Each structure stands twice: as C-alpha cells, then as structure tokens.
C-alpha cells in the first residue's frame, strides 16, 4: 500500500495522473498472451519444418536405394529350389546338404546371372513392369510431396522425370497432367497451364 501510494503521488507530481491499475493489468495480460501464442506458433512451425525435412529425406533415400538396385539388378534366388521330399531327406547335423549332394542342387541364380540395368531396359514403360513399378511410384510421390509443400518448381521437374520414365505406358498420365496444371497455375505460368488444358490428348509434357 505504501508503494502504491508513493507511485500515485509520483505520477501526480509528474502530471501523468493516477494510472488505471485494472487497465494496466489487462494490457500486461494481453501482451503475455500474445507472446505465448507467438512462441507456440513458432514452435509448431519449427516442428513441422523438421518433420517435412525428415519425410523428404526418407523419400529421396528410398528412391536412391531403388535406383541402385535396378541399375545392377539380378534375379532373386527361389526360396525353395528342392522338392519337399528331397529337402526332408537331406536334413541332418553333418555337412551342408549342398556339399553332400551337389547333383540335387541347381546352381544359384546369383552365381550365373549377370547384373542388368532395368532402368535402361524398360525405359519409357517402367510402370508396366513389376520390378520397376515401385521406382516410378516413389518418384511420383516425391513430386506430389514437393507440390504440397510449396516447392512448385522442383515438383514440376520431378513430374517431367516421371514422364520420361513412362512415355509408353502412361499409367500415371492423368495424375501428372492435373498436378502439372496446378503447379503452373500456382507459379503464375498461365500460358503453359492453358496448353495443358487445350491439348489433353497429347500427353503430359507440353
């Protein structure tokens, strides 16, 4: 009370009048609330940015691994090369059965087959083959992710790469056409967007 009285006397001497304590407290509360809300928004944005970077990194890494596999692709070895009855007879705690009965075991595929570049072999129709379909799908997902996160130019470049992978099959033709249209509208390139609208039958690339 003494401090409040001194404060009032001081403000009166200085010509400022007696402050409205209730208004002052409301202003301080409002300011504190605004600060908390701003900090919360900033924290949310930082977490969202980190999450987006992690998802983008995981997607790119998955594409790289798939590309490495397809560039030196070797057919997978069958899970059970022997008939069931032969497999049953060869069980034991001695040497491996392949060494005891080599004539019953065909050579492993990995020992005879030569690595092959499936991306080159099926270029233009990658989505039509079971071994390369996943690679096209991952690249398409990357383009859609980039577009959703506002990285429009990178999304268009990714859609163009998917187009080159699949010029014959055109399985994802309509999906890419629609999203390239949206991307061009977003960055203001309306002439290219109009070309896509007016020539839908000519494929994805204009």
């Amino acid at each position: 009370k003494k401090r409040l009285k001194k404060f009032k006397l001081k403000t009166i001497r200085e010509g400022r009048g007696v402050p409205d304590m209730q208004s002052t407290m409301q202003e301080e509360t409002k300011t504190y609330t605004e600060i908390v809300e701003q900090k919360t928004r900033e924290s949310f944005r930082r977490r969202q940015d980190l999450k987006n970077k992690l998802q983008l990194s995981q997607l790119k890494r998955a594409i790289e691994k798939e590309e490495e596999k397809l560039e030196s692709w070797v057919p997978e070895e069958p899970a059970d090369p022997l008939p069931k009855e032969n497999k049953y007879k060869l069980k034991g705690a001695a040497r491996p059965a392949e060494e005891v009965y080599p004539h019953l075991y065909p050579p492993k595929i990995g020992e005879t087959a030569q690595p092959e570049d499936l991306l080159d072999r099926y270029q233009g129709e990658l989505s039509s083959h079971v071994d390369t379909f996943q690679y096209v799908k991952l690249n398409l997902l990357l383009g859609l992710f980039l577009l959703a996160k506002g990285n429009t130019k990178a999304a268009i470049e990714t859609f163009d790469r998917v187009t080159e992978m699949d010029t014959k099959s055109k399985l994802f033709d309509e999906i890419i056409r629609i999203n390239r249209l949206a991307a061009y509208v977003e960055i203001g390139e309306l002439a290219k967007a109009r070309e896509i609208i007016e020539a839908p039958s000519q494929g994805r690339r204009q």
Side-chain angles (χ1 to χ4, degrees), residues 42-141:
E42 291 175 355
S43 177
F44 175 78
R45 281 196 297 268
R46 284 196 298 269
R47 290 197 305 270
Q48 198 64 30
D49 288 343
L50 289 173
K51 182 180 178 181
N52 291 340
K53 288 179 181 178
L54 178 61
Q55 290 177 337
L56 181 60
S57 176
Q58 290 174 337
L59 195 51
K60 287 183 175 180
R61 181 55 188 152
I63 292 173
E64 289 175 1
K65 289 179 66 175
E66 194 70 16
E67 186 172 338
E68 291 171 2
K69 182 181 76 174
L70 295 176
E71 285 178 343
S72 56
W73 183 82
V74 175
E76 293 183 0
E77 183 181 354
D80 189 8
L82 281 180
K84 187 173 181 180
E85 58 272 14
N86 286 346
K87 183 178 179 183
Y88 176 80
K89 292 176 183 178
L90 296 176
K91 284 186 176 179
R95 291 180 298 164
E98 294 92 333
E99 296 180 10
V100 181
Y101 305 101
H103 59 285
L104 295 178
Y105 283 80
K108 293 182 180 179
I109 292 177
E111 297 175 353
T112 58
Q114 295 297 320
E116 182 180 7
D117 188 345
L118 293 189
L119 296 180
D120 182 61
R121 177 180 176 182
Y122 297 131
Q123 180 64 24
E125 50 183 358
L126 295 181
S127 67
S128 299
H129 298 273
V130 64
D131 296 309
T132 53
F133 176 83
Q134 181 68 7
Y135 180 69
V136 181
K137 180 182 174 182
L138 286 172
N139 278 276
L140 178 59
L141 289 175

Side-chain angles (χ1 to χ4, degrees), residues 3 12 40 48 62 65 68 88 105 128 131 137 145 168 171 178-179 196 200:
R3 285 201 298 265
I12 290 171
T40 302
Q48 198 64 30
K65 289 179 66 175
E68 291 171 2
Y88 176 80
Y105 283 80
S128 299
D131 296 309
K137 180 182 174 182
F145 180 85
K168 297 178 183 177
L171 179 64
I178 291 172
N179 283 280
I196 295 176

